[in-house]
Amino acid sequence: MKLILISSLLSILVILTVIYVYPSKTPFSVFSNSPLGLSSAETYFTPSNDVVIIVQPQQNVTQLVKETLMNNGTVILVGDNSVINDTLKEFGAYIGSYIIKDKVFNAGNDSEIEVFYKGNLAVFYDSHPIYNVIPLVESGPYSYTTTQKGPFTVVGMIKVNDMARIIVISSPYVFTNYYIENNINFLYAIIGKSAYIYPNVYSPLDYVKALLNQFSYYSYIVLLSSLAIFRLKFKSKNEQSKAVLERLLSLHPDWDENVLRRIYDDRGEE
């Protein structure tokens, strides 16, 4: 019975370990190594409770934003005019629905516009105009949408009080693995180097990864190692018991092996 229990626990741990290390493809997730993932972004920022980066959330994050602001923190809202607008409307701002294009200042196609902040360049793909915010970064003078001519605000700020603020970045791709290396100095100039990146999990695989991530890496390894050692010791003890049984049966071939094994079980030898 103990052997079955230990084997089951080890099997579960092995499965969880495989899930933890298996590469995710979920867009805008910190567990994803894909071009649209945010796994690289975590390596560029040191953890901080004062700055929270939320990239293209798939569910309303207004409560999380308000909690951060109540602690006089800074929230970096990154995305298009989808779910983020549910939060921005609480503060009188919004992101427009049209994509900004630029035939002059671009990185290869007119939807990859180049923008600058304090001499630092960034590439914004599928960026949208931001309205009713304090402008921090604007698109180039030749930028346009299908309905308006630029420049447009692409990074804006909402001051909530003397310390709490929201910074809105209207391209959901700036922090992704594909773009962040070219954008990092631009982002440092606006945000700084310390921030907590919201995990943004919305796939079953990433939910499990997020749960496992709550445990210390070392405590998880210690637990796995301890169970493995216990399993090996238990297996060794079981082999010893089997050897004793075989010896007894060789000396007393008329004895019932099943009865003898039950005696060992009742005595807790196995």
Side-chain angles (χ1 to χ4, degrees):
M1 184 63 183
K2 289 183 180 179
L3 178 61
I4 295 174
L5 178 61
I6 297 299
S7 298
S8 299
L9 287 174
L10 279 173
S11 298
I12 292 171
L13 283 172
V14 168
I15 291 171
L16 292 177
T17 303
V18 170
I19 292 175
Y20 188 78
V21 300
Y22 187 80
S24 167
K25 299 296 182 184
T26 306
F28 310 110
S29 168
V30 296
F31 302 107
S32 175
N33 298 322
S34 70
L36 294 185
L38 303 178
S39 58
S40 295
E42 278 205 316
T43 66
Y44 284 106
F45 292 91
T46 56
S48 169
N49 293 326
D50 298 324
V51 181
V52 177
I53 300 173
I54 305 174
V55 181
Q56 195 71 347
Q58 301 300 303
Q59 57 187 3
N60 196 311
V61 292
T62 302
Q63 189 58 38
L64 172 62
V65 170
K66 288 182 175 179
E67 288 173 1
T68 304
L69 296 174
M70 284 178 61
N71 293 320
N72 293 320
T74 297
V75 178
I76 316 298
L77 278 179
V78 186
D80 54 26
N81 64 319
S82 54
V83 176
I84 281 181
N85 270 346
D86 293 337
T87 299
L88 290 179
K89 70 181 181 182
E90 300 275 337
F91 301 91
Y94 69 97
I95 297 176
S97 57
Y98 294 101
I99 294 173
I100 301 171
K101 297 186 177 183
D102 195 319
K103 292 185 180 299
V104 178
F105 295 100
N106 64 67
N109 68 75
D110 57 8
S111 293
E112 286 185 313
I113 64 172
E114 293 181 336
V115 295
F116 298 85
Y117 183 74
K118 295 182 178 180
N120 296 290
L121 167 69
V123 176
F124 278 27
Y125 177 64
D126 275 6
S127 187
H128 300 248
I130 311 171
Y131 299 100
N132 301 337
V133 294
I134 300 170
L136 295 181
V137 180
E138 292 187 334
S139 60
Y142 303 101
S143 59
Y144 64 95
T145 68
T146 55
T147 61
Q148 291 178 297
K149 291 182 179 181
F152 304 97
T153 298
V154 294
V155 180
M157 180 173 65
I158 302 169
K159 293 190 71 173
V160 179
N161 55 44
D162 289 340
M163 297 185 67
R165 60 183 182 155
I166 299 172
I167 293 177
V168 187
I169 300 177
S170 70
S171 169
Y173 301 97
V174 292
F175 283 88
T176 58
N177 297 328
Y178 185 81
Y179 285 102
I180 192 168
E181 184 176 356
N182 293 328
N183 292 345
I184 192 60
N185 290 326
F186 174 94
L187 296 171
Y188 281 161
I190 294 174
I191 300 168
K193 296 185 178 182
S194 298
Y196 166 73
I197 301 177
Y198 183 59
N200 205 29
V201 296
Y202 46 94
S203 75
L205 181 67
D206 285 351
Y207 272 118
V208 178
K209 286 177 178 287
L211 178 63
L212 293 175
N213 204 50
Q214 299 301 311
F215 297 98
S216 162
Y217 171 79
Y218 292 104
S219 64
Y220 184 72
I221 294 299
V222 168
L223 176 62
L224 187 62
S225 301
S226 298
L227 283 172
I229 292 170
F230 186 80
R231 170 69 179 86
L232 290 173
K233 286 184 176 180
F234 189 79
K235 182 179 180 181
S236 176
K237 189 174 182 180
N238 185 49
E239 290 175 348
Q240 291 175 2
S241 298
K242 184 178 180 181
V244 172
L245 284 173
E246 289 177 350
R247 179 170 175 78
L248 287 172
L249 287 171
S250 66
L251 295 173
H252 305 279
D254 56 326
W255 287 8
D256 190 314
E257 179 180 352
N258 293 329
V259 173
L260 193 59
R261 181 170 292 279
R262 281 199 297 270
I263 292 173
Y264 262 83
D265 290 341
D266 292 339
R267 290 177 56 191
E269 293 293 330
E270 190 178 312

